[in-house]
Amino acid sequence: MASSLTKDSVRPGTPGSEKTFLGHPRGLATLFMTEMWERFSYYGMKALLPLYLVAPGGLHMNAATATAIYSVYLSLVYLLAMPGGWVADRILGPRRTVAVAGAVIMLGHVTLALPFSGTFFAGLGLVAIGSGLLKSNISTMVGHLYKGADDPRRDGGFTLFYIGINLGAFFAPLSIGTIGEKVNWHFGFALAALGMALGLAQFLLGSRHLSSRSDIVPTPMTAEEKRSTLTKAAGWAAVAVVFYAIVGFSGVYTLNWLMVPLTLAGVIIPVLVIARIKRDKELDRAEQSKMSAYIWFFVAAAVFWMIYDQGGSTVSLFAEKSAENSVFGWQFPVSWYQSVNPVMIMALAPVFAWAWLALARRGKEPSTAVKFSMGLVLIGASFFLFLAPLGIADGGHKAAALWLVAIYFVQTVGELTLSPVGLSVTTKMAPAKYASQMMGVWFLAVSAGDATTGLLSIANVNLDKTGIVALEAALAVVAGFAVWMYRKRVKELMGDVR
């Protein structure tokens, strides 16, 4: 990475001044590397998770239960991004919150690495809590590196940051997945812990390059507010402990006693949060208008992620039982499919970053609404494509690996038109009062999408059946056309944001 750094004539020692990272503020390199290692740990564990849940040497669950756990876990990760932003806004500030998050994630992976089934869900919970603390805040710090919403480098910076995410995600299944599947599941989880340790070290060593804004607690709590919050949190925790103790000792406890409340929370809480922000009378008219526009992007993103994240559950479990996982006769681990998307991201993200900038210079760049509609149509197309290998498997044959690669390719193109753009537009449209929290709101769209998948799985809906896959695909395409048809109205509501 050092060879990518150039000099300019601005005063040294401040973010974005003397050194640049591919033309962007030097702090982007620190956040790039931190996120790369954190994503290495996260995506490595994520690639193993559904396979471990169904494996005879793992927890040996059925596919529906594994998909439900996987979806609820992902929903919880993104649901906790909102309180993660609140912690930064009210207590620690983004930089310190990310440091704490890295330590919690590392502890979670260490817990997963213990060879005891009883500790497994505790490890998942720790990783989810740490990821929630980290996700919204590290993206917010990327936004802090730029001068404002009109900085022309901003979308490109988030796209480069996205490459860091996918660099870690690419190597994770190849290493963590291989060790987990072929050697020992818990050794794979231990390697994920090592990855997070490296990410935390990178962040602590390079934090001097970050913007001073990342140290600020925007709306610090008073001592009285802290006491009140701690009292309420302790009270709710006590209620939960008592409730589950009663359920457990009564002998009626099943996993659904935990799964159903978490899944419902993943759907209901995002709606309540958006409604609360929209009703906030402290927001001025321009901010209220932007929030109205943002609801369109939020709903579109929820539909997108509902389908997209099934690439790691529904599609992966299909590959495990119904695909010919080989190339020229050479068999490869099922978890390796999860490296297809990130390697394509790395190949295509620079092309998209260049294309958006080139089109912007000519005044022809598609609006955010148009980019979102493109993403929805493409994610729908990926599941229409999924119908082909499903048909092959229904005929009693193994589907070729290239069918699955094609699905991930279409999803990747859709992701690049929606996800980095969504991160960027969230930082642009965030009301000042909800600075770090708005990035958490963006991640709540992922939570809502994954929670919907979880609810379907808990209800024993077979998500790998032709009719369900076709219905999901059609839903995404219809949603894409709806966003496109109302693009002018959305653009008006966005005001000065482009």
Side-chain angles (χ1 to χ4, degrees), residues 23-25 146-159 353-354 356-358 360-361 365 371 424 428 498:
H24 291 266
Y146 298 94
K147 296 178 181 179
D150 295 328
D151 191 322
R153 302 173 301 169
R154 195 182 188 93
D155 279 8
F158 274 99
T159 300
W354 170 84
W356 297 145
L357 189 57
R361 287 171 179 164
E365 182 182 9
K371 291 176 183 177
S424 181
K428 293 178 185 178
R498 293 291 179 265

Side-chain angles (χ1 to χ4, degrees), residues 119-156:
T119 61
F120 181 78
F121 292 102
L124 279 184
L126 287 171
V127 175
I129 291 169
S131 297
L133 288 170
L134 184 141
K135 289 193 70 64
S136 60
N137 292 300
I138 197 165
S139 296
T140 297
M141 287 193 289
V142 173
H144 286 168
L145 297 172
Y146 298 94
K147 296 178 181 179
D150 295 328
D151 191 322
R153 302 173 301 169
R154 195 182 188 93
D155 279 8

